[in-house]
Amino acid sequence: LFIIGELINGMYASVGKAIRAREASVIQERARAQVAAGAHALDVNCGPASRNPVADMPWLIEVIQQVVSVPLSLDSSNPSVIEAGLKVARSPAIINSTTADPDKLAALIPLAKRYGARLIGLTIDARGIPHNKDQRLQMAAQIVAACAEQEFPIGDVFIDPIVVPVNVSQAQISDILEAIREFRIISDPAPHVVVGLSNVSQGTAVRSLINRTFLTMAIACGLDAAILDPLDTELMNELITAELLLNKQIYCDSFLNAYRKG
Amino acid sequence: LFIIGELINGMYASVGKAIRAREASVIQERARAQVAAGAHALDVNCGPASRNPVADMPWLIEVIQQVVSVPLSLDSSNPSVIEAGLKVARSPAIINSTTADPDKLAALIPLAKRYGARLIGLTIDARGIPHNKDQRLQMAAQIVAACAEQEFPIGDVFIDPIVVPVNVSQAQISDILEAIREFRIISDPAPHVVVGLSNVSQGTAVRSLINRTFLTMAIACGLDAAILDPLDTELMNELITAELLLNKQIYCDSFLNAYRKG
């Protein structure tokens, strides 16, 4: 599983404060800790309260790049913020995200091509969050078709089915799992499939248990990337075990340590 | 998930000793504890060291039936032991198990019909444990066809793909998961799918973690029954959460307690 650490996000109080005060050490500590815990990339989000994300995003990227060398996922719904990040991010970066809206695709696919970035495509459009599997598949197909048309490599596309909280849209979870399975056969080569994991447990009382159970189910359905909290040890243990069961590392009694040592 | 408790098995030292000494209380305590923890049925196995399983099996069943009323799964490779159990077991019992061998099917399907029992069919035959998904599917089809031919209801059949230890046959685990998915579409109505869960972690160093990760993956693939240890709280928490995510109970913040209270 390609693990994208979720902890550098201005919605966390300490991160939001560090961004406003330009306290690099708070951000850098989170960057180092996530990479040490197994993150292969780091999501970077200025947060909903940022007053100047076009300045905050490049600052975040520069201070993170001082301490770690993993790819960064530039997380914003505003293409100007993403472009400001791409100008300073080391390649390959990840654009998080485009939607299935034609104007978003028209803006972000060329940006991804110009900067050699990978692209996360959310199965959502101006009509809002999809209500069923078929709508998710339709929007995934739109994203993949737009990328193919612009000769953007499908192997650099990550489709995100938009995970909803189980306490809000419980009936949709099995639809989302089925969509993950079908995204993987939508084209050849297949796009990757990513989820923003913690959404599934938003507002619930036992978040870590719900997160790791859903992640394991999604991995069984073909998920190959996730934006998650790599400092959640129980989540990571289960993720590593799911990879072991899918024969993605060789069994030894200390397989958890072996994975963590790389 | 239909949960069959695995703890009444003569291979456990205390159970083996209790069987030999006819100490009902040891057996009855395990029966009560498993049902209290959520078992919907109890597996009953005299163990490999039993010298007289044709006598041990009915004794076990009678002492268990004194304290709990859930169905019992009569676990033996010997049809005479199973028949000795069926004579005293309350209906509906579960026969655990037949193989795909024609002579086993010819003996056990009529027995299941005569006693109104459900039937677990292992995808194994005289040639041994299958080596891939197609062999598993082929044997599942043989079992289902034999049941259909003898007018035994397919809704009372549980197909078991034979789970192998991850440290022995690691490459087979994903095959087994895929087989579980395909068993569910082998016929209409579909057979149930059951696993003997703890086999997957046999001989490994972190058994509970491997068991619960595999179980969650298998549930995502359509598993609807398992022989497992219901006293493993972390396993049960995850099983309950997987059912929640598949919309099989209504979300509330205390869904773990709600499930356990029935």
Side-chain angles (χ1 to χ4, degrees):
Chain A
L1 201 81
F2 185 69
I3 299 167
I4 306 171
E6 71 180 7
L7 297 179
I8 299 178
N9 188 316
M11 77 173 186
Y12 296 108
S14 65
V15 175
K17 186 161 161 268
I19 295 172
R20 286 189 296 278
R22 293 291 189 258
E23 288 179 280
S25 62
V26 172
I27 306 299
Q28 290 171 334
E29 176 46 40
R30 283 195 170 220
R32 279 197 201 93
Q34 289 184 91
V35 172
H40 303 115
L42 297 179
D43 197 65
V44 183
N45 185 318
C46 304
S50 168
R51 293 198 190 153
N52 190 4
V54 171
D56 289 348
M57 179 62 87
W59 176 77
L60 278 167
I61 290 169
E62 285 178 336
V63 303
I64 295 166
Q65 290 184 161
Q66 286 166 16
V67 296
V68 298
S69 58
V70 298
L72 301 184
S73 157
L74 316 187
D75 186 354
S76 171
S77 58
N78 180 344
S80 311
V81 175
I82 287 175
E83 183 155 22
L86 286 169
K87 284 178 181 160
V88 298
R90 280 195 287 259
S91 183
I94 302 163
I95 293 177
N96 184 9
S97 53
T98 182
T99 64
D101 286 306
D103 59 335
K104 271 294 187 76
L105 290 164
L108 289 162
I109 297 172
L111 212 53
K113 286 179 75 171
R114 191 174 333 138
Y115 288 93
R118 285 173 277 182
L119 181 61
I120 295 177
L122 309 178
T123 59
I124 188 172
D125 63 14
R127 296 168 301 175
I129 292 184
H131 293 104
N132 58 46
K133 186 187 74 174
D134 287 344
Q135 290 179 357
R136 288 185 162 84
L137 283 168
Q138 192 190 340
M139 287 193 268
Q142 281 166 13
I143 295 166
V144 166
C147 289
E149 199 172 304
Q150 299 199 38
E151 297 183 335
F152 183 77
I154 305 306
D156 286 346
V157 176
F158 291 77
I159 300 292
D160 180 331
I162 311 265
V163 173
V164 291
V166 64
N167 64 354
V168 173
S169 302
Q170 191 177 353
Q172 278 206 52
I173 307 287
S174 47
D175 251 26
I176 292 168
L177 290 169
E178 207 48 50
I180 289 171
R181 172 172 302 276
E182 297 190 19
F183 289 161
R184 300 286 289 153
I185 50 173
I186 216 172
S187 68
D188 184 12
H192 299 284
V193 182
V194 68
V195 293
L197 180 62
S198 55
N199 283 357
V200 73
S201 65
Q202 202 72 254
T204 69
V206 285
R207 296 202 61 176
S208 176
L209 174 64
I210 291 174
N211 287 344
R212 66 180 177 265
T213 304
F214 179 73
L215 181 67
T216 301
M217 297 175 89
I219 291 173
C221 293
L223 187 81
D224 66 353
I227 304 173
L228 54 74
D229 175 5
L231 303 189
D232 180 338
T233 307
E234 287 184 284
L235 174 69
M236 288 296 289
N237 282 347
E238 196 153 317
L239 181 167
I240 295 166
T241 305
E243 300 251 281
L244 179 84
L245 290 167
L246 293 181
N247 207 21
K248 292 184 177 166
Q249 59 166 314
I250 296 170
Y251 180 84
C252 64
D253 282 348
S254 56
F255 70 90
L256 294 172
N257 285 334
Y259 176 98
R260 289 190 162 106
K261 282 180 191 156
Chain B
L1 201 80
F2 186 69
I3 299 167
I4 306 171
E6 71 180 8
L7 296 180
I8 298 177
N9 188 317
M11 77 174 185
Y12 296 108
S14 65
V15 174
K17 185 162 161 267
I19 295 171
R20 286 188 296 278
R22 293 292 188 258
E23 288 178 279
S25 63
V26 172
I27 307 299
Q28 290 171 333
E29 177 46 41
R30 284 195 168 221
R32 279 197 201 92
Q34 290 185 92
V35 172
H40 304 114
L42 297 179
D43 197 65
V44 183
N45 186 318
C46 303
S50 168
R51 293 201 191 153
N52 191 4
V54 172
D56 289 348
M57 180 63 87
W59 177 78
L60 278 167
I61 290 169
E62 285 179 336
V63 302
I64 295 166
Q65 289 183 160
Q66 285 166 15
V67 296
V68 297
S69 58
V70 298
L72 301 184
S73 157
L74 316 186
D75 186 353
S76 172
S77 57
N78 181 343
S80 311
V81 175
I82 287 175
E83 183 156 20
L86 287 168
K87 285 178 179 158
V88 299
R90 280 195 288 259
S91 183
I94 301 163
I95 293 177
N96 184 9
S97 52
T98 182
T99 64
D101 286 306
D103 59 334
K104 272 291 187 79
L105 289 163
L108 289 162
I109 296 171
L111 211 52
K113 285 179 75 171
R114 191 175 330 140
Y115 288 93
R118 285 173 277 182
L119 180 62
I120 295 177
L122 308 179
T123 59
I124 188 172
D125 63 14
R127 296 168 300 175
I129 293 185
H131 294 103
N132 56 46
K133 185 187 75 175
D134 287 344
Q135 289 178 356
R136 287 186 161 85
L137 284 168
Q138 193 190 339
M139 286 193 269
Q142 281 167 12
I143 294 166
V144 167
C147 289
E149 199 172 304
Q150 298 199 39
E151 296 182 335
F152 183 77
I154 305 306
D156 286 346
V157 176
F158 291 76
I159 300 291
D160 181 331
I162 309 265
V163 174
V164 291
V166 64
N167 64 355
V168 172
S169 302
Q170 191 177 353
Q172 278 206 53
I173 307 288
S174 47
D175 251 26
I176 292 167
L177 290 168
E178 207 49 51
I180 289 170
R181 174 173 300 277
E182 298 190 19
F183 289 161
R184 298 287 288 153
I185 50 175
I186 216 173
S187 68
D188 184 12
H192 299 284
V193 183
V194 68
V195 294
L197 181 62
S198 55
N199 283 356
V200 74
S201 66
Q202 202 72 254
T204 69
V206 285
R207 296 202 62 176
S208 176
L209 175 63
I210 291 174
N211 288 344
R212 67 179 176 265
T213 305
F214 179 74
L215 180 67
T216 301
M217 297 175 89
I219 291 173
C221 293
L223 186 82
D224 66 354
I227 303 172
L228 53 74
D229 176 4
L231 304 189
D232 180 338
T233 307
E234 288 184 284
L235 175 69
M236 288 296 290
N237 282 347
E238 197 153 317
L239 181 168
I240 296 166
T241 305
E243 301 252 283
L244 179 84
L245 290 167
L246 294 181
N247 208 21
K248 293 186 176 165
Q249 61 166 314
I250 295 170
Y251 180 84
C252 64
D253 282 348
S254 56
F255 69 90
L256 294 173
N257 285 334
Y259 176 98
R260 290 190 161 107
K261 281 181 191 155

